[in-house]
């Protein structure tokens, strides 16, 4: 009984809190996270949707509200800055900004190479300090004896190994 | 889904065969194996009528514009003029500028379309006081 209660208490605190409580309750607890309500139309920057469902800035300050009032009159009365401000109220990114791209790929590629290089160092260390000696049959002398035996046995005489050995001149072709 | 793909491919083929500004031609939106094909003029007229509705609301403007941009064509200046006037009735300057940006983006590699459209729309733009994205400096990121 006590064990399960402490288990629940443990679940409620720390890391598991976010998983175990609803987002509304979570928002009531802390104010660090912006809770996005996905059940209402959201703003989005999309090239194929020029006019998003909602304007970017929903809560207008007093002077922004005044600008919106001025928008109801003739647009020839607006200054260039005011027109730009109106655009930015409704849209976060212009088409040019949406198409911009970034240099993030260089960072990613660089990170990949760094980690590959580090892994290479680890593998090298492992080769030197972890792996034991290779078998003695891979020594020069042993390999020479093995090769000679393969030639004598006529290993793959048609197209392969012994085919490349000239038996008259006793040398490789 | 398949019909949409077919429509797009038919639209693309037809746009190459028109003689006069081929790139700005608005193309039949439906391709049936039988039944009447909508002509370009009918398509244009339909959309101009849509945007010319005197009491058009903001949702209809957004829906119309987003749908129009979804088609495989660059809208005719007369459709765009109707849309810009609809923005004026709705007191929405930002959408008017956005429409111009969308047209430029929609022309893709055909760089001559956008200046042509601006040229055709110039009287409307000056009358309503709509700046082009270039004037505001938002054409460069």
């Amino acid at each position: 009984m006590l064990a399960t209660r402490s288990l629940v208490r443990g679940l409620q605190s720390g890391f598991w809190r976010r998983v175990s409580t609803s987002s509304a309750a979570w928002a009531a607890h802390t104010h660090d996270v912006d809770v996005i309500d996905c059940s209402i139309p959201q703003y989005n920057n999309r090239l194929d949707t020029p006019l998003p469902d909602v304007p970017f800035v929903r809560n207008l300050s007093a002077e922004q509200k005044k600008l919106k009032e001025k928008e109801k009159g003739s647009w020839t009365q607006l200054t260039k800055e005011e027109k730009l401000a109106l655009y930015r109220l409704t849209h976060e990114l212009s088409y040019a900004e949406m198409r911009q791209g970034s240099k993030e790929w260089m960072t990613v590629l660089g990170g990949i190479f760094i980690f590959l290089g580090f892994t290479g160092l680890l593998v090298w260390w492992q080769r030197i300090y972890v792996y034991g000696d290779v078998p003695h049959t891979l020594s020069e002398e042993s390999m020479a004896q093995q090769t000679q035996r393969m030639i004598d046995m006529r290993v793959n005489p048609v197209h392969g190994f012994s085919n490349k050995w000239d038996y008259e001149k006793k040398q490789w072709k | 889904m398949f019909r949409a793909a077919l429509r797009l491919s038919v639209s693309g083929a037809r746009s190459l065969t028109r003689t006069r500004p081929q790139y700005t031609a608005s193309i039949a939106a439906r391709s049936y194996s039988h039944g009447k094909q909508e002509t370009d003029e009918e398509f244009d007229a339909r959309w101009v009528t849509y945007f010319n509705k005197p009491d058009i609301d903001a949702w209809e403007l957004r829906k119309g514009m987003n749908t129009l941009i979804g088609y495989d064509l660059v809208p005719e200046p007369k459709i765009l003029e109707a849309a810009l006037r609809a923005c004026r009735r709705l007191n929405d300057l930002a959408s008017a500028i956005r429409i111009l940006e969308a047209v430029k983006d929609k022309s893709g590699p055909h760089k001559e379309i956008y200046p042509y459209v601006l040229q055709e729309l110039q009287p409307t733009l000056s009358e309503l006081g709509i700046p082009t994205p270039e004037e505001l400096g938002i054409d460069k990121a």
Side-chain angles (χ1 to χ4, degrees):
Chain A
M1 182 66 177
L2 278 171
T4 51
R5 279 182 77 183
S6 62
L7 182 67
V8 168
R9 199 49 84 72
L11 280 174
Q12 294 271 324
S13 70
F15 175 73
W16 293 104
R17 197 174 225 176
R18 204 177 280 236
V19 173
S20 65
T21 62
S22 69
S23 67
W26 176 237
H29 284 256
T30 73
H31 302 281
D32 323 309
V33 181
D34 278 337
V35 180
I36 297 172
D37 186 352
C38 293
S39 61
I40 56 171
Q42 294 177 22
Y43 176 80
N44 57 276
N45 291 308
R46 289 185 61 104
L47 295 170
D48 60 9
T49 310
L51 306 179
D53 297 330
V54 294
F56 180 56
V57 180
R58 303 301 304 277
N59 311 316
L60 298 172
S61 72
E63 62 177 74
Q64 285 168 339
K65 285 196 181 118
K66 264 206 300 202
L67 187 56
K68 277 288 184 190
E69 284 302 311
K70 202 173 170 193
E71 195 184 15
K72 293 182 184 165
S74 172
W75 293 339
T76 51
Q77 305 296 319
L78 297 166
T79 69
K80 203 179 272 193
E81 289 74 26
E82 286 173 334
K83 290 176 183 174
L84 188 56
L86 282 168
Y87 180 85
R88 288 291 178 194
L89 279 180
T90 323
H91 302 289
E92 182 192 10
L93 298 176
S94 70
Y95 266 72
E97 285 161 2
M98 277 192 261
R99 282 208 174 268
Q100 211 174 12
S102 70
K103 294 208 164 60
E104 190 189 4
W105 68 273
M106 295 184 198
T107 311
V108 170
L109 213 55
I112 291 172
F113 289 143
I114 286 171
F115 279 107
L116 281 176
F118 180 65
T119 308
L121 288 173
L122 288 180
V123 169
W124 187 15
W125 178 88
Q126 182 185 23
R127 173 68 187 80
I128 307 234
Y129 289 102
V130 175
Y131 289 165
D133 286 334
V134 292
H136 70 92
T137 44
L138 288 169
S139 68
E140 282 287 335
E141 192 192 312
S142 178
M143 288 293 284
Q145 287 173 343
Q146 179 181 303
T147 315
Q148 184 58 55
R149 187 173 152 84
M150 282 165 75
I151 290 168
D152 294 341
M153 272 201 286
R154 308 280 199 278
V155 164
N156 292 341
V158 182
H159 289 299
F161 189 79
S162 303
N163 176 42
K164 301 208 176 11
W165 176 260
D166 191 340
Y167 282 94
E168 276 86 48
K169 298 198 197 120
K170 301 257 189 297
Q171 65 185 21
W172 291 109
K173 291 184 186 168
Chain B
M1 189 87 107
F2 175 69
R3 183 192 286 178
L6 193 60
R7 174 214 335 153
L8 290 177
S9 61
V10 168
S11 316
R14 278 198 66 177
S15 70
L16 290 171
T17 56
R18 278 178 64 92
T19 50
R20 198 246 332 152
Q22 307 168 284
Y23 28 81
T24 59
S26 15
I27 311 298
R30 294 259 176 271
S31 52
Y32 302 121
S33 56
H34 64 283
K36 204 164 85 75
Q37 288 264 48
E38 186 183 47
T39 67
D40 292 350
E41 289 72 26
E42 283 167 358
F43 177 85
D44 293 348
R46 195 159 55 82
W47 276 101
V48 168
T49 314
Y50 179 89
F51 284 118
N52 274 343
K53 192 165 99 121
D55 54 349
I56 194 172
D57 67 33
W59 185 92
E60 285 173 356
L61 172 66
R62 288 198 305 270
K63 173 68 178 167
M65 215 47 237
N66 292 338
T67 310
L68 193 57
I69 293 296
Y71 294 150
D72 182 21
L73 50 86
V74 180
E76 282 279 326
K78 57 177 178 282
I79 304 177
L80 297 169
E81 185 191 336
L84 292 175
R85 289 194 185 278
C87 290
R88 174 64 267 191
R89 291 198 292 283
L90 290 164
N91 300 320
D92 193 352
L93 177 61
S95 294
I97 304 169
R98 192 69 155 184
I99 289 171
L100 295 176
E101 274 193 293
V103 165
K104 179 169 182 197
D105 190 69
K106 202 63 191 157
S107 352
H110 303 283
K111 299 271 186 259
E112 65 280 355
I113 300 181
Y114 181 61
Y116 165 74
V117 166
L118 281 187
Q119 178 198 317
E120 294 291 310
L121 287 177
Q122 197 46 52
T124 311
L125 295 180
S126 5
E127 180 198 330
L128 298 177
I130 300 172
T132 66
E134 288 72 30
E135 285 169 22
L136 292 179
I138 52 179
D139 60 318
K140 304 268 175 284

